[in-house]
Amino acid sequence: MIKHVFKTVMCRWVTIAVSTVVLSSCVTETVDNAPRFAEAAVVSVQSPNARITAGSKVAWHPDAVSFIADKRLGDTRLKSLIEQQIQANLKQKGLVVVDKAGGARYTIAYTAALSSALDDETIIRRYGLLPGNTQIPDDDASIEKGSLIIYMFENMMGGVIWRSAAQAGVHFDMSDEERAQRVAAVITAMFQSLPVEQPVEQPGE
């Protein structure tokens, strides 16, 4: 059974949350409108100076990962599905996933929860962006809106340089196979906006 909280956000999360909201005033916003799957919406923002070079090392942020489980989902392996897909997309982008944050140029984190544990007002206040998905019905007990926010820090500068938020209907009676497919599709859409560039070749190379 999934633990109630994957990792408790430490006291300095307040500083992280504030810096994230401040960042929202100086970013370029991209919205993914492609209808890849029903009931899903994705929005991403990034620092205008963010240039992530392929081959850079990325690790999990030690203090800013939060997974809030819900007993209605049962043992769905949702936490591990999210983390596996985040790592897979980092690698697909040409980045190197390492174990220790101290040896990485970037760190990545996420927050995942149903709307009953993390509502829209809290999301916009903490993270400064909101997909605004309104397609999930309020009168269906078998489905609830779920939110996933992924954000990347640059260790040298200490700030958030990219973040993406997705909202989709979470069906409690969905099969494990279908849930895995939906998680993969949502996270792939989120990572489309991650600004990764190939390294510039020097003369004579």
Side-chain angles (χ1 to χ4, degrees):
M1 183 175 182
I2 301 175
K3 293 182 179 180
H4 179 64
V5 177
F6 170 60
K7 180 176 285 188
T8 302
V9 179
M10 304 297 181
C11 61
R12 70 177 185 176
W13 168 245
V14 175
T15 303
I16 295 170
V18 171
S19 66
T20 309
V21 173
V22 171
L23 179 64
S24 66
S25 64
C26 59
V27 296
T28 301
E29 180 172 333
T30 59
V31 180
D32 185 0
N33 292 318
R36 290 177 177 78
F37 34 82
E39 303 170 351
V42 177
V43 61
S44 303
V45 294
Q46 67 186 56
S47 167
N49 298 319
R51 297 293 183 273
I52 303 169
T53 304
S56 298
K57 295 180 180 179
V58 185
W60 289 111
H61 194 290
D63 297 330
V65 175
S66 178
F67 178 88
I68 305 175
D70 190 291
K71 63 182 181 180
R72 290 172 294 176
L73 287 168
D75 187 12
T76 60
R77 296 177 52 248
L78 187 54
K79 178 180 73 66
S80 61
L81 286 173
I82 291 172
E83 294 181 359
Q84 289 169 10
Q85 286 301 318
I86 288 175
Q87 290 181 318
N89 277 272
L90 288 170
K91 294 175 182 178
Q92 182 66 31
K93 284 284 188 175
L95 301 173
V96 179
V97 178
V98 296
D99 293 331
K100 297 182 179 180
R105 181 170 181 180
Y106 303 98
T107 54
I108 196 160
Y110 72 90
T111 296
L114 295 176
S115 59
S116 54
L118 184 68
D119 59 24
D120 287 357
E121 181 180 349
T122 303
I123 292 172
I124 194 66
R125 185 176 69 250
R126 288 184 181 177
Y127 307 104
L129 76 169
L130 184 70
N133 194 329
T134 60
Q135 300 182 44
I136 293 89
D138 296 327
D139 57 351
D140 188 345
S142 69
I143 182 173
E144 185 174 330
K145 180 165 65 178
S147 298
L148 172 64
I149 304 98
I150 303 173
Y151 30 101
M152 180 175 281
F153 301 82
E154 185 172 14
N155 283 354
M156 295 177 64
M157 302 299 293
V160 179
I161 60 171
W162 171 85
R163 64 193 186 279
S164 183
Q167 290 184 323
V170 177
H171 297 262
F172 302 125
D173 56 355
M174 183 176 289
S175 68
D176 290 344
E177 181 179 359
E178 188 176 2
R179 192 181 306 282
Q181 291 174 351
R182 284 173 59 86
V183 168
V186 170
I187 294 178
T188 297
M190 296 173 76
F191 270 92
Q192 286 183 352
S193 66
L194 186 68
V196 178
E197 300 179 348
Q198 295 299 316
V200 178
E201 293 187 4
Q202 300 298 322
E205 292 185 350

